């Protein structure tokens, strides 16, 4: 049965969205095309009509994951517009975010995998990371009028590291301690 262009475009978006979530949960190599397409409600044969390769999908899904992360930062700051940096810190360094393996931070979920991928996947991550740094820099500048670029890098590095460490331990108290320590350090570094 032939699929309309509109339906094909919708199918492509569905596959990218599903891959974005499943890659964060299982890693780029942790799910095969058959299972991925099944999760998207499509056949494996439909994959090659939409993407040149799994690497092509990894690029698109990485871009989508980073866009999703940026959107989640926006939602957090909209809820607490008087303290946007504090809102991002509270959201990002929370036990709820720690538990969100499919929808959580793609840098944490896929960072080491992305480092082993091709330059196009890395470019998707780099663009998203630069966007995160721009957001943090703007919040820092608004809070204390400083030149914030290097401070934003330190803050993002601390937050990513703390969330990563909190996810790799079994002890919820230790996980919370990593998040709390990072929250304290990030607020101090930001002057918030």
């Amino acid at each position: 049965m032939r699929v309309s262009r509109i339906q094909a475009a919708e199918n492509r978006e569905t596959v990218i969205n599903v891959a974005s979530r499943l890659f964060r949960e299982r890693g780029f190599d942790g799910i095969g095309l058959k299972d991925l397409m099944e999760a998207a409600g499509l056949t494996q044969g439909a994959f090659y009509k939409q993407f040149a390769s799994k690497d092509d999908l990894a690029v698109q899904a990485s871009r989508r994951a980073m866009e999703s992360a940026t959107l989640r930062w926006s939602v957090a700051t909209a809820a607490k517009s008087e303290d946007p940096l504090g809102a991002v810190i509270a959201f990002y360094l929370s036990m709820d975010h720690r538990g969100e393996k499919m929808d959580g931070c793609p840098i944490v979920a896929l960072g080491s995998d992305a480092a082993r991928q091709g330059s196009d996947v890395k470019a998707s991550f780099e663009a998203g990371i630069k966007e995160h740094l721009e957001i943090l820099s703007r919040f820092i500048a608004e809070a204390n009028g400083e030149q914030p670029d290097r401070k934003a890098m330190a803050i993002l590095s601390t937050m990513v590291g703390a969330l990563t460490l909190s996810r790799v331990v079994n002890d919820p108290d230790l996980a919370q301690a990593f998040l709390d320590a990072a929250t304290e350090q990030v607020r101090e570094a930001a002057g918030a």
Side-chain angles (χ1 to χ4, degrees), residues 131-152:
E131 191 166 358
H132 281 17
L133 291 171
E134 287 172 20
I135 292 167
L136 289 171
S137 292
R138 187 174 66 245
F139 293 161
I140 294 166
E142 289 170 5
N144 35 1
E146 297 179 19
Q147 210 43 292
D149 295 343
R150 293 185 62 77
K151 191 175 281 192

Side-chain angles (χ1 to χ4, degrees), residues 13-61:
E13 291 302 308
T14 298
V15 172
I16 292 170
N17 289 334
V18 167
S20 169
R21 296 183 78 225
L22 289 175
F23 285 158
R24 279 183 273 178
E25 181 185 49
R26 301 181 192 176
F28 291 118
D29 296 327
I31 186 163
L33 290 180
K34 180 179 181 276
D35 292 333
L36 196 150
M37 293 303 286
E38 186 176 295
L42 299 167
T43 64
Q44 186 174 351
F47 178 83
Y48 291 103
K49 293 176 183 166
Q50 301 291 334
F51 304 97
S53 65
K54 189 175 177 186
D55 289 341
D56 178 31
L57 175 59
V59 171
Q60 304 305 316

Side-chain angles (χ1 to χ4, degrees), residues 81-97:
S81 59
E82 73 282 356
D83 181 15
L85 180 58
V88 168
I89 294 167
F91 153 72
Y92 193 94
L93 295 173
S94 69
M95 288 296 280
D96 286 342
H97 189 216

Side-chain angles (χ1 to χ4, degrees), residues 95 98 101 164-176 178:
M95 288 296 280
R98 173 190 182 257
K101 301 220 170 42
T164 300
L165 291 170
S166 77
R167 284 186 177 178
V168 299
V169 298
N170 288 320
D171 180 353
D173 293 332
L174 180 58
Q176 185 66 59
F178 279 124

